[in-house]
Structures are given as structure tokens and as C-alpha cells.
Amino acid sequence: MSAAGSLLAVVPAAAVLLLTVAARPRTVGTVAPLRLAVVRAVLLAGAYAVLVVEVLGATHALTRPAFAVAWLFFLVAAALAAGLRRRRESRLGQSAAVVPRAVPVGAVVSGGGPEASAPTAERGEPAPAPPRAGRGPAGLLAAAVDTWRTARPGERLLAATIGGLVLVELLVALLAEPNNFDSQTYHLPKVEHWVAQGDLDFWPTAIHRQVTIPPGAEYLLLHLRLLTGGDHLHNLVQWVAGVVCLLVAARITAQLGGGRRAQLLTAFVLATTPMVVLQATSTQTDLVCAAWVACAATLALDGLRRRTGWGTLLGLGAATGLTAVTKTSGLIAVGPLLVLWGLAQLRLAQTRGPAATEPAAGGAARRVGGLARTVGGSVLILVVAAVVVGPFLARVTAEFGHPLGPPRLRESIPMERHDPASVVVNALRIGHTAFDTPLAPLRRAGADLIISGAEAIGVDPQDRAITFGRELFPEPAWYPDEDRVAFPLAGVLAVIGAVIALGRPRQIAPDRAGSLRAYAVVVLTAVLLHTAMIKWQPWGNRLLLYAVVLAVPLAGLWLDALFRRRAGAAAPAAGDAGASVGGRGRRSVATMTAVTVLATSALAGVLALSYGFPRRLVGAGSVFTTSDWDTRFLRRPQWADEFRWAATAVRDSGARRIGLVQQNDNWEYPWWLLLRQPDGGSPELVALQSVLPERPPADPASVDAIVCTGGKAACAKLVPAGWRLEFRGYVGYALPPGR
């Protein structure tokens, strides 16, 4: 990466930081205001990044200079917004010094606890936030130091573990080359095609996922690819998404009544979940999707107690659109969240009755106005979402006649049977894979029970209508692999938290019982919809990552309540000594069990980071001891030399236009790296097969060389007569006579 590329890569990060300053909430009683500002900033930056790609793609201007200008403009706009915000606060500060104003005590609670928004929520019209000193970097540092000083030892341990994991993940993300299997097949080739074409038009390809799968995460990668000239920082997209998930999950906990310890427990459980640890250093897309869903959740929860302003409506629309353009499965959760938000807004509109002196007609008019405002806000959310995801859906519809793509995509992942028996079997299989452990006897016993139960109710447990591809249930998922690792600890804690939140919410959030129960219903609904809509597959755990992020706050709240009850147990009265001792004993056992589970969770996170696959700190394949090229091929080490061998022969032949022969799950990305032009420009790679009816493949006679992956027989069918075909295992090449 060049020095210019390094400087350009800093611009988006600097713009987001400035936006965080400019987007701080202005109202009293906002829960976790700094985290809310981060949510606003990342949503605005994400929507801007997507729209920049769409606009420049439509004008055939996907070039480095165009992207550099777009981000410099965005940086200047963010700087101006931050400057105006600071100037306004300075003026308000001077006014406040002359005319002091009383501020509710609950409004300045730094932890964003349950009392934070009560004073203004009652009126439905939040008051402007008074200017506070210490909002700059120095003030934030001082606040962080003070928080650390006042924290309990357990809270410090939780925070240190979270911070340590995040920092080591950053190190791995920077050191490791992209080596995710799907990224080699379609995530990163998609980016390279855009760069080579200069636009977003579809292209002939044998890998339909390069054009049919929503490209939101790849849009973000495209920015880094053009700004830096390579893929050195590609892993940072998911790392940033992981950090956003931690911050937003903690804020959701605060919105549901959790204090500092509950928020730390939530972040700790999420940060130590192996799937989160491993994907935070990857070029997969699941954490990006989870981050957008979490942003939608926290904004929706803000609407449970106060009327939503225009800025939040735009944020909800952006979160919905970004989820849709990244991974449509995330909409399974965003939909119920928006329904919850809408119902809460309608309730607020109806319960804001007229004042004692206001005529009944005036109160009715206000309620009608509130209803119209809710409907209008809902329409605005959908319009903003359509602006973000609409261009991609329009291209897909124009190409395949359906916004969800060709039939092979619509039938491969979504459930094709929805009878109750099939849905139950699918849910049980998904749960078995999600809660898998290294205990093989337990895995086998659970799988046998599910299979026999399915057969008893007349459902084939391997039915293709409820099973992805040709996969067979069960499949071990305990090993720390980024694509399939289970989450039994986080899952069990979340299930317990959800059960208590649904049955006895006042036990864990006395002041937020209604909101907590409603949120738990939404999480449960999302999980049930997922199991009814998505087929079981061995890699299904990563598709559930958005649900894990949403559910973990329930675990954090429950754990905090458990520790709180244990610490707050009063000395028993004389007559109740026996019963109290028994109750304390049960609480002690529960507390020790919870502590053991948390310690095990921390161990699982550390082991996943140390030995996880395909990026690890120690052992074979360590990021410290493995070369860059070999790191890319840790999934398939035997292919590393084969790709180099074929690419060297093609380059030495002087070929300019190179044909691709491959199957749907073959690796294409190595060709883009090995056959790049001497000046760094993209090679001219054209597909000799195409699954897109309206995009015919190139004529083999029109290319100077052919490179192949997969089987030799499939390649030989497309090689012109008289050409020389060479093959080594997985990779081959063909050259015309004389080359």
C-alpha cells in the first residue's frame, strides 16, 4: 500500500469521527449519548458510501480519483458540521453562564440508566441538552479515567478482557491477508470486476453469487480497494462492524434499564463469542449485517418512550436500507423491530391526551396529528431504505425478472416447505447446530433424537426442501471456524435471559419491564421467523449472527440481576433463618455457575483468537509465521503453488485477454492478484461460461490464454483445437500454438 493510499484510507475514519462530534444528541436524558452519536455517524457514512458507489457506478466513474474527491468532500462537510456544533455549544455555554438553568438530575446520568429519559418522555417533547464541559477528546479521556477509577474490580476485568480481545483482533486483521473461502469465490472477485469495468453492470460469470447476492459489504470493500490500491485493509470492515456491534449491544442494554455492569456483561458475552471473534478479522459479511440490524434496534428502542424526530427516522431508513443491501436475512429482524417502533409511536400519539384546559376536539386533533405523523414517518423510513437498496434491486429485477434474483437463488436458501412439522424439524436442526459442543456423545444423541422425531411425524430430516444443497444433517460445528462455529454459551445465556424477560421482566428491569418484554418478543419473533424461512445448512450459525447480537443484551441484563440479588441479600430475620439460608444457598450456586460460564466464555474467546481458523495467532498457519501468499490459501494449501504455476506460464506467454473456466464454488480471486498488470492495473479476465441468460460468455477463440479451476474435463471442452492444455490437480491453463 502506497503512502498516498495510507493517507486516503484515513479520510473515511476521520470523517466518521468528526460526524460523531456533530451528531451528538441535543436532548436531555438521552441514553448513552456518545454511543448514539456513533450510531448516527456510521449510518450516515454507510449510506453515503453506498450511494457514492451507485452514483459513480451509474456514470462509469468507479475510479480512484473520483472516490478520493467524494471522501474529501465528505470530510470537509463533516468538519464543517462538527465546527458548527462546537460553535453553537460555545454560545449556549456562554448563555448558560449568564442565565443558569435547572437540569433534572436523571438527565446527566452518564451510564444511561433507567431514569435517564423519564422527565422528558412524559411530555413527549425533549428539552435541548445544556452544554457540558469536557465533550472534547480531553474531556472524554478524563471521563474514561474517572470511570475506570470508580469501577469495581469485576467491572475492570470485564472491560480489560473486552479491550484486549478487540485490540488483538485488530492486530490479526491488519496482519492477515483475506482468506475467507466465499471471499475467494465471489466477495472479492465482485470488487475486482467493478474496478476493471469502472461501473456496476453485471457480467458473464459461472458464479451467480457474484451478481445475485446483495453487495452492501462489498461496496465498503470497494472504497478501500480504490483508495489503497489493494486488499491490505479489507479485514478492517468486519472489525469495525464488530466494534459497532459491541457498542450498540451495550447501548441496547442501557435502554432496557441496565447499568454499567449490565452493559459490560453484555459486551463481554458478545466479545467472547467465537463467531464474533473470528469474523472480526474476516472479509465475510455477517458482522456488517449484524451491525446494521443492531443500529436499527437501538433507534427503534429510542422510539418506545418518546416521539421520533426526523433525524432518527432517517437513521431507521438508512439502517433498513443498509441491512437489505448487505444481507436480506437481516430484514427478518428489522421488520419486527419496525413494527415495535410503529406500535410504540401510535401508543404515544393516542396517550398524549389534552391538557385540563384543552377542549376535547383539540385533544382529538392532536391524536389524529400524531397518527398522521407516525404514518408519515413510516413512509419516510421506507423511502430512505428504497433509496439505499433500490438501485441494486432494480438491476437484479431487470436482469432476472425478480428482485430476489434467479430461481436457483430463491430456492437454495429460503425454506420451500412451511407446514408446521417441517418448520419444527428445521428449527430443531438449526438449534442443534447452534448449540453444538465438543462433546461428541451429546451431539450424536441430540441428532439421533431429532432424526427419529422427524421420521415419526413424517418429515425427512434430509429433505432438500428444508435442507441447503446436498448437505446432510448433522454436521459438527463446535470447532472455532469462522464459517460455522457454534455459540452454546452465549446462546444459553440469551435463552435464559429471554425466558425471564418474557415471564418476569421486573426481576431484571423493574423500571423497564414493558420495554424489556416487548424487546424479548421481537427477538423471539426474529428467531422463529428465521427458522421458518431459512433452510438448515452447516454454515447456518453465521447467518444467525444478527440474532445473537440482538439477544445478548437479554443475557447481560439477567446476569447483572443475578449478581445484584446475590450482593443485595439482606440478613435474615430470626424466624426466617432457615428459609433465607436456603435461598442464599441457591443464589450462591446460581452465581457461581454464572461466573463459571463467564470464565468459560472468556476462555472460548481467547482460544478462538489464538487457534481459530483460518486466521490464528499461534500454531500452524500463524499470522506471525506464515507468508502472505500461504495465508491466503490456508483453506486449501495445496492450491497455492498450482495457481502460481499456471499464472506464471500465462504471464510469460504475453497473453493480454485471458479466459476463465470455473464452476459455481471455485476460487477466482487469486487470478486477479497473480495476473494484475505490471502497473497495478486490473487484468482483462473474461468468463467462457455464463449462468446469466442475457450475458453470453466470451468466445474461447477471442482470448490469448485460458485459466481453469476445478475439473480438467470441463476445461478441455472449452479449449480450442490445437491449444496446449496443462493441468495440476485443481488448476490448469491452456495456450494457443506458438505461445
Side-chain angles (χ1 to χ4, degrees):
M1 183 169 58
S2 65
S6 300
L7 291 175
L8 288 175
V10 173
V11 173
V16 171
L17 290 176
L18 289 169
L19 280 178
T20 302
V21 174
R24 288 195 308 270
R26 300 179 180 180
T27 56
V28 169
T30 300
V31 177
L34 180 57
R35 277 169 275 173
L36 177 57
V38 171
V39 169
R40 292 172 172 176
V42 297
L43 285 175
L44 180 56
Y48 179 78
V50 169
L51 294 178
V52 163
V53 172
E54 292 289 359
V55 171
L56 294 182
T59 57
H60 306 281
L62 296 180
T63 63
R64 187 181 192 184
F67 274 65
V69 169
W71 277 110
L72 289 173
F73 170 79
F74 193 67
L75 177 65
V76 171
L80 290 174
L84 291 173
R85 179 65 186 273
R86 294 297 296 270
R87 190 175 306 138
R88 181 179 180 276
E89 289 179 352
S90 177
R91 289 199 301 267
L92 289 176
Q94 294 174 0
S95 301
V98 176
V99 183
R101 181 173 56 181
V103 180
V105 174
V108 295
V109 176
S110 60
E115 73 280 9
S117 60
T120 55
E122 296 293 334
R123 297 189 300 271
E125 297 176 354
R132 295 202 303 262
R135 281 183 166 176
L140 292 176
L141 179 60
V145 171
D146 183 65
T147 300
W148 180 265
R149 181 180 57 82
T150 58
R152 300 183 181 93
E155 294 173 345
R156 293 182 181 180
L157 180 60
L158 292 172
T161 303
I162 297 166
L165 286 172
V166 169
L167 290 177
V168 177
E169 288 163 7
L170 174 60
L171 177 65
V172 174
L174 290 172
L175 291 178
E177 302 295 319
N179 61 359
N180 172 262
F181 193 102
D182 285 347
S183 295
Q184 306 281 7
T185 300
Y186 68 96
H187 290 311
L188 301 186
K190 187 184 301 186
V191 174
E192 295 301 325
H193 276 286
W194 293 333
V195 173
Q197 296 177 173
D199 58 39
L200 300 174
D201 290 345
F202 291 162
W203 53 90
T205 178
I207 304 173
H208 77 88
R209 291 175 294 174
Q210 290 183 357
V211 296
T212 57
I213 298 292
E218 291 90 339
Y219 281 175
L220 304 181
L221 293 176
L222 176 62
H223 286 267
L224 289 178
R225 168 66 176 85
L226 287 172
L227 292 177
T228 66
D231 60 10
H232 314 286
L233 301 182
H234 278 10
N235 292 331
L236 290 186
V237 171
Q238 282 260 108
W239 180 82
V240 171
V243 173
V244 171
C245 286
L246 294 178
L247 294 174
V248 178
R251 183 172 192 263
I252 291 173
T253 305
Q255 291 172 290
L256 296 175
R260 182 169 63 189
R261 182 174 60 187
Q263 296 171 48
L264 285 171
L265 285 167
T266 295
F268 177 87
V269 172
L270 187 59
T272 55
T273 300
M275 179 67 77
V276 175
V277 171
L278 293 169
Q279 287 230 1
T281 63
S282 170
T283 47
Q284 264 293 7
T285 62
D286 305 285
L287 266 180
V288 178
C289 174
W292 300 136
V293 173
C295 288
T298 195
L299 294 179
L301 286 176
D302 277 340
L304 297 189
R305 288 179 169 264
R306 60 175 51 167
R307 299 309 306 274
T308 299
W310 294 110
T312 302
L313 291 173
L314 294 174
L316 282 169
T320 303
L322 289 168
T323 300
V325 81
T326 300
K327 214 174 190 73
T328 51
S329 57
L331 295 177
I332 294 174
V334 173
L337 285 166
L338 292 179
V339 170
L340 174 64
W341 169 85
L343 292 175
Q345 292 294 292
L346 289 174
R347 179 183 61 82
L348 290 172
Q350 296 301 314
T351 56
R352 284 181 56 191
T357 58
E358 186 178 5
R366 291 183 59 173
R367 286 192 292 271
V368 171
L371 175 61
R373 178 177 173 181
T374 301
V375 173
S378 302
V379 172
L380 178 61
I381 291 172
L382 296 178
V383 168
V384 173
V387 169
V388 175
V389 71
F392 168 71
L393 293 181
R395 288 194 299 275
V396 173
T397 303
E399 189 74 27
F400 302 105
H402 195 287
L404 297 182
R408 65 184 302 173
L409 177 63
R410 303 198 304 271
E411 297 169 0
S412 61
I413 298 177
M415 287 274 286
E416 297 176 78
R417 290 180 55 179
H418 298 92
D419 56 285
S422 297
V423 171
V424 168
V425 171
N426 192 57
L428 291 174
R429 294 182 306 165
I430 289 175
H432 180 274
T433 305
F435 289 88
D436 190 23
T437 70
L439 303 175
L442 181 62
R443 180 189 313 118
R444 286 195 297 269
D448 291 343
L449 184 61
I450 293 172
I451 291 173
S452 60
E455 293 172 346
I457 60 176
V459 177
D460 178 4
Q462 313 299 348
D463 186 354
R464 297 302 100 189
I466 62 173
T467 305
F468 178 83
R470 300 179 181 178
E471 306 302 325
L472 296 177
F473 173 83
E475 184 73 22
W478 65 269
Y479 184 77
D481 183 299
E482 66 173 354
D483 286 337
R484 65 176 67 198
V485 62
F487 34 81
L489 297 177
V492 167
L493 292 174
V495 167
I496 296 174
V499 169
I500 297 177
L502 290 170
R504 297 183 176 181
R506 294 190 181 279
Q507 285 190 0
I508 55 180
D511 298 321
R512 288 286 189 272
S515 298
L516 177 60
R517 178 175 284 164
Y519 182 77
V521 168
V522 166
V523 173
L524 177 61
T525 301
V527 173
L528 293 177
L529 287 175
H530 185 101
T531 59
M533 297 174 67
I534 305 296
K535 294 178 179 178
W536 175 87
Q537 55 182 283
W539 315 278
N541 287 341
R542 64 183 182 83
L543 301 182
L544 274 170
L545 192 53
Y546 72 89
V548 174
V549 173
L550 292 184
V552 163
L554 302 176
L557 288 164
W558 169 69
L559 288 169
D560 179 63
L562 179 65
F563 295 140
R564 187 171 63 247
R565 288 198 301 271
R566 175 72 180 92
D576 298 330
S580 297
V581 169
R584 287 202 304 275
R586 288 191 295 271
R587 283 193 294 269
S588 297
V589 171
T591 302
M592 290 303 300
T593 302
V595 170
T596 302
V597 170
L598 289 175
T600 307
S601 181
L603 178 62
V606 171
L607 290 177
L609 188 56
S610 302
Y611 295 98
F613 196 74
R615 292 165 303 281
R616 55 177 50 168
L617 291 173
V618 297
S622 166
V623 295
F624 296 114
T625 60
T626 308
S627 69
D628 293 348
W629 186 249
D630 289 336
T631 297
R632 296 181 184 274
F633 286 86
L634 284 176
R635 288 282 187 189
R636 299 291 187 272
Q638 67 274 20
W639 294 349
D641 290 337
E642 295 177 7
F643 270 99
R644 270 183 165 167
W645 160 77
T648 299
V650 171
R651 282 201 314 269
D652 291 346
S653 72
R656 304 280 302 177
R657 181 176 166 87
I658 303 164
L660 289 174
V661 178
Q662 55 196 2
Q663 286 76 55
N664 185 56
D665 207 30
N666 288 176
W667 286 19
E668 179 182 314
Y669 186 58
W671 299 127
W672 291 97
L673 298 175
L674 290 168
L675 299 175
R676 191 167 290 179
Q677 300 296 329
D679 61 357
S682 298
E684 187 180 359
L685 298 178
V686 295
L688 302 185
Q689 309 139 291
S690 179
V691 295
L692 277 66
E694 303 300 323
R695 308 279 173 172
D699 184 349
S702 69
V703 301
D704 303 323
I706 296 174
V707 292
C708 309
T709 52
K712 182 177 181 179
C715 185
K717 292 179 181 178
L718 293 169
V719 173
W723 284 39
R724 175 169 55 94
L725 174 61
E726 301 284 347
F727 232 92
R728 283 189 184 177
Y730 178 76
V731 178
Y733 69 90
L735 294 174
R739 284 187 181 268

